[in-house]
């Protein structure tokens, strides 16, 4: 094997986190080979369909997407200026930011809701422009470790050798399995029920979440294909026990709209329209390690948290930023993918991500518990936080992700 045969880095997975990683590396002068199982999206067809599920992108994620020229390629997005959280059977609530009567400016926004399909389209378009070796509809059949390098075998017989493999291939990561990295799984015995709904009252650019004994119900403002209805469309994520999710998914549209109107306390008036519902199982997953010699896991390949705070995609993007930052800083010193470099990435991300995962699990338990001491503590806690601007500022700072970027080359 000659030195010319050796690739610097192969990224398995070309979604948001893998694509962002490749583009950040390219901006730093390193060309990655990206192996993506998905096909190239048809732009016209993708733009013509509104995805009923949205991703809540933090300020840090938006900043990173702007850094790699992806943000301006996203055709539709819905900024939000406020968040409201309360418990159905309690008396406390927390409000962050404020409602807006007009389409917010970037400075007013806490973040933005984006359809995954439109985000993937924008990432693909930029990778096609910036990357020299971006392969789609590729199936990886084997990943094995050599001496000082990794061998990646594809279904078409191609064999790649690389100094660094980055696994960005999702919750059921093939790279993670091939590297024999164990996974801790917490099955919530719950499902997320999702769809898009239209309400009689405008959302005023506020994301809302109400906690029920069965689980949280989130109302997330979303963009609309019809400008005149732009402030009336909501993407919902309803966390429910598996049997409830099955039952609600089978309801006809009229009965489901009536149920959702009642269970949301008419907070946006009546729900008059709903798209077909989809379900996904809720399980927390945590890789026991993020790195091996010459290999790193990022995004859902490394961790999957409860969708309670909508932070899963954002912590994946922070993984990408921290990994690229340590790799590119060491490359300036003539070092590439050194064991200590990768361990520095793991040290910066794993503890923080594990803490986020466990805190989301705990909040979910406390907010749905019906034990009197927990109910009292929950209500008291919500009221106290609402009356303490400093604590609310700390929550916002944690959610926007900017503090994690502070010591990196991507700091604002």
């Amino acid at each position: 094997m000659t030195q010319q045969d050796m690739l610097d880095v192969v990224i398995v997975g070309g979604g948001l986190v893998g694509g962002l990683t490749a583009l950040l590396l390219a901006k730093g002068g390193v060309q990655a080979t990206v192996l993506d199982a998905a096909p190239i999206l048809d732009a016209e067809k993708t733009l013509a369909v509104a995805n009923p599920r949205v991703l809540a992108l933090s300020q840090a994620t938006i900043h990173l997407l702007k850094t790699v020229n992806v943000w301006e390629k996203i055709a539709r997005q819905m900024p939000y200026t406020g968040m409201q959280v309360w418990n159905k059977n309690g008396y406390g609530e927390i409000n962050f930011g404020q409602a807006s009567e007009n389409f917010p400016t970037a400075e007013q926004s806490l973040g933005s809701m984006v359809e995954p399909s439109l985000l993937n389209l924008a990432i693909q378009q930029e990778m096609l422009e910036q990357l020299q070796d971006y392969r789609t509809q590729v199936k990886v059949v084997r990943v094995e470790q050599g001496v000082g390098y990794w061998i990646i075998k594809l279904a078409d017989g191609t064999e790649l050798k690389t100094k660094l493999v980055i696994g960005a291939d999702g919750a059921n990561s093939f790279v993670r399995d091939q590297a024999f990295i164990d996974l801790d799984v917490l099955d919530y015995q719950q499902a997320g029920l999702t769809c898009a709904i239209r309400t009689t009252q405008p959302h005023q650019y506020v994301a809302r979440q109400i906690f029920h004994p069965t689980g949280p119900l989130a109302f997330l403002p979303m963009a609309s294909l019809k400008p005149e209805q732009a402030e009336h469309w909501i993407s919902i994520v309803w966390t429910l026990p598996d049997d409830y999710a099955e039952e609600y998914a089978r309801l006809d549209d009229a009965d489901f709209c009536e149920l959702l109107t009642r269970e949301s306390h008419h907070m946006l008036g009546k729900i008059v329209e709903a798209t077909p519902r989809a379900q996904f199982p809720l399980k927390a997953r945590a890789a026991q390690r993020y790195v091996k010699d010459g290999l790193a896991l990022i995004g859902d390949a490394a961790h999957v948290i409860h969708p309670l705070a909508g932070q899963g995609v954002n912590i994946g993007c922070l993984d990408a930023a921290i990994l690229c930052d340590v790799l590119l800083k060491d490359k300036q010193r003539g070092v590439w993918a050194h064991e200590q470099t990768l361990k520095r990435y793991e040290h910066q991300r794993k503890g923080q991500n594990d803490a986020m995962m466990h805190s989301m699990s705990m909040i979910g338990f406390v907010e749905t518990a019906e034990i009197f001491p927990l109910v009292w503590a929950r209500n008291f806690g919500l009221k106290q936080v609402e009356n303490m601007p400093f604590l609310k500022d700390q929550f916002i700072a944690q959610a926007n992700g900017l503090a994690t970027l502070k010591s990196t080359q991507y700091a604002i």
Side-chain angles (χ1 to χ4, degrees):
M1 181 182 67
T2 65
Q3 191 65 28
Q4 286 73 23
D5 296 325
M6 182 73 70
L7 299 169
D8 280 334
V9 54
V10 173
I11 301 173
V12 181
L16 169 58
V17 177
L20 176 62
T21 304
L23 292 170
L24 288 172
L25 289 176
K27 192 173 181 66
V30 175
Q31 280 287 329
T33 292
V34 175
L35 307 178
D36 194 356
I40 295 294
L41 293 169
D42 183 300
E44 186 176 348
K45 290 181 180 178
T46 302
L47 294 174
V49 178
N51 194 311
R53 190 176 175 192
V54 296
L55 300 173
L57 303 187
S58 68
Q59 291 177 350
T61 296
I62 293 170
H63 170 66
L64 291 169
L65 292 172
K66 288 179 178 177
T67 300
V68 295
N69 303 317
V70 167
W71 184 250
E72 56 266 33
K73 285 183 165 65
I74 298 173
R76 292 189 298 270
Q77 52 96 8
M78 178 59 69
Y80 61 97
T81 60
M83 293 185 290
Q84 182 183 19
V85 181
W86 76 100
N87 195 286
K88 179 183 178 183
N89 297 329
Y91 52 81
E93 73 174 50
I94 306 177
N95 293 276
F96 301 96
Q98 57 187 7
S100 177
E101 297 296 331
N102 301 306
F103 194 85
T105 64
E107 292 72 23
Q108 294 172 315
S109 302
L110 298 177
S112 195
M113 306 294 178
V114 177
E115 298 160 52
S117 55
L118 300 187
L119 188 52
N120 288 337
L121 175 63
I123 286 276
Q124 280 191 348
Q125 289 173 337
E126 189 64 19
M127 284 197 289
L128 287 168
E129 292 179 18
Q130 300 298 331
L131 304 187
Q132 297 169 10
D133 192 8
Y134 170 38
R135 312 184 193 188
T136 59
Q137 294 181 284
V138 174
K139 181 175 176 59
V140 177
V141 296
R142 190 173 180 85
V143 180
E144 59 184 32
Q145 192 170 18
V147 180
Y149 60 89
W150 286 81
I151 302 168
I152 300 175
K153 297 182 179 180
L154 308 182
D156 65 2
T158 303
E159 188 172 287
L160 305 175
K161 298 180 178 66
T162 182
K163 300 173 188 175
L164 174 63
V165 178
I166 298 177
D169 51 340
N172 299 313
S173 172
F174 183 70
V175 171
R176 185 186 62 225
D177 291 345
Q178 291 282 288
F180 301 104
I181 295 176
D182 290 332
L183 187 69
D184 295 324
V185 179
L186 173 61
D187 189 342
Y188 293 111
Q189 301 296 314
Q190 293 176 317
L193 185 67
T194 66
C195 69
I197 60 172
R198 183 165 62 89
T199 60
T200 55
Q201 295 178 13
H203 53 61
Q204 295 184 304
Y205 307 97
V206 175
R208 297 169 171 86
Q209 186 158 252
I210 177 171
F211 283 91
H212 291 265
T214 50
L217 168 60
F219 273 41
L220 309 175
M222 66 178 293
S224 171
L225 293 175
K226 301 176 181 178
E228 69 277 9
Q229 297 179 354
E231 294 184 37
H232 293 266
W233 277 96
I234 302 286
S235 174
I236 72 159
V237 181
W238 197 350
T239 300
L240 293 160
D242 291 331
D243 53 347
Y244 278 70
E246 291 283 351
E247 178 186 347
Y248 294 171
R250 289 195 300 266
L251 293 174
D252 64 38
D253 288 352
D255 288 343
F256 181 73
C257 287
E258 184 179 344
L259 169 71
L260 197 56
T261 299
R262 184 173 66 250
E263 293 300 307
S264 65
H265 287 191
H266 296 77
M267 61 184 174
L268 291 178
K270 188 176 180 181
I271 291 147
V272 293
E273 188 175 350
T275 63
R277 279 139 269 157
Q279 301 174 64
F280 58 95
L282 295 181
K283 296 180 181 180
R285 306 167 190 246
Q288 292 185 358
R289 56 192 300 191
Y290 285 9
V291 302
K292 292 184 74 170
D293 187 20
L295 181 143
L297 301 177
I298 57 176
D300 285 357
H303 47 74
V304 177
I305 69 170
H306 196 288
L308 183 65
Q311 286 298 305
V313 65
N314 295 311
I315 63 175
C317 289
L318 291 174
D319 291 348
I322 298 301
L323 179 59
C324 291
D325 185 64
V326 297
L327 286 170
L328 293 172
K329 282 179 178 176
D330 278 4
K331 186 170 179 61
Q332 291 176 351
R333 300 187 296 111
V335 177
W336 179 251
H338 190 275
E339 179 183 5
Q340 292 304 315
T341 308
L342 299 181
K343 284 186 175 179
R344 197 155 67 249
Y345 154 71
E346 182 179 61
H347 175 73
Q348 290 187 52
R349 295 304 298 148
K350 191 173 190 308
Q352 189 173 355
N353 292 343
D354 286 350
M356 174 72 78
M357 182 184 75
H358 293 308
S359 64
M360 290 302 100
S361 298
M362 180 56 69
I363 290 171
F365 170 71
V366 170
E367 286 294 345
T368 57
E370 294 301 303
I371 304 169
F372 174 75
L374 289 179
V375 173
W376 179 87
R378 178 178 69 210
N379 292 332
F380 179 76
L382 286 173
K383 288 188 68 177
Q384 290 300 107
V385 172
E386 175 64 14
N387 294 323
M388 298 179 71
F390 172 76
L391 275 181
K392 291 171 72 173
D393 288 345
Q394 292 300 305
F395 279 120
I396 290 292
Q398 178 67 31
N400 69 30
L402 295 176
T404 302
L405 298 179
K406 194 172 183 179
S407 61
T408 75
Q409 61 192 289
Y410 310 115
I412 294 179

